[in-house]
Amino acid sequence: MSKQHSHPKSIYHDALAGIMKITLRDEDASNEEKQFLVNFAKRLSITDEEYVTISNTYTSHEIKAPHLYEQRLDALYEIVKIVCTEDTLSPESKEIWLKRVGKALGFDPSNVKYIVAKSLDVFADNINVTKEYFMDEVKNLNQ
């Protein structure tokens, strides 16, 4: 984690706490997923001290799923983009973790596996996929 506190405390703490809660709440997170949390914190410039504080309080964090489908897709796009560049997660772990995220974002549980598969497929060959392209592909995954 970064040693300098380069951001206001609340900007990234909620994001990391939410990701921690999604990852750790079922108590079956793999070591890969736990390492992903450390790497994610580094990307957010979370200090070691902040990381420890967040990891001790994440269970009290409220996750607010976006109400609108477009907002869910927008959030999923940002998360999938990060996950697809993460070297510590195996393809299987990425899929499992993104299914957790999809459910937490409020996608219909019966559709989550299809949404995640399509999301990973969209990013498979090009990490620089535009948000518009991603959203169109996921919206039209049944066509």
Side-chain angles (χ1 to χ4, degrees):
M1 257 89 28
S2 109
K3 301 226 190 278
Q4 287 187 304
H5 184 72
S6 59
H7 53 81
K9 182 178 179 182
S10 64
I11 289 177
Y12 298 119
H13 287 219
D14 285 344
L16 182 60
I19 295 297
M20 274 189 177
K21 189 168 189 173
I22 291 166
T23 304
L24 301 174
R25 69 175 159 200
D26 294 333
E27 298 181 6
D28 61 352
S30 68
N31 287 335
E32 289 175 310
E33 290 172 305
K34 291 174 185 175
Q35 183 59 49
F36 169 72
L37 291 174
V38 172
N39 294 349
F40 187 67
K42 287 177 185 178
R43 287 181 179 192
L44 297 177
S45 299
I46 301 286
T47 66
D48 292 341
E49 182 179 309
E50 290 171 312
Y51 186 86
V52 169
T53 299
I54 295 166
S55 66
N56 288 330
T57 61
Y58 75 89
T59 55
S60 63
H61 181 77
E62 182 181 348
I63 297 175
K64 298 175 188 164
H67 294 289
L68 300 175
Y69 187 72
E70 293 280 328
Q71 293 171 326
R72 289 182 196 135
L73 285 177
D74 184 58
L76 184 63
Y77 168 81
E78 298 297 337
I79 293 167
V80 172
K81 191 170 186 171
I82 291 169
V83 168
C84 285
T85 62
E86 181 58 48
D87 295 337
T88 61
L89 292 174
S90 68
E92 181 181 82
S93 291
K94 288 177 184 181
E95 184 176 348
I96 291 168
W97 190 80
L98 286 170
K99 286 178 183 176
R100 289 181 186 159
V101 170
K103 290 174 186 171
L105 287 173
F107 288 105
D108 184 316
S110 64
N111 292 332
V112 166
K113 68 180 177 181
Y114 304 111
I115 292 168
V116 167
K118 184 63 173 183
S119 298
L120 290 169
D121 185 53
V122 168
F123 276 97
D125 295 325
N126 182 5
I127 197 61
N128 296 314
V129 169
T130 66
K131 189 179 297 186
E132 293 76 22
Y133 178 79
F134 172 83
M135 292 173 88
D136 286 344
E137 288 293 307
V138 175
K139 283 181 194 176
N140 298 310
L141 68 97
N142 290 330
Q143 295 179 1

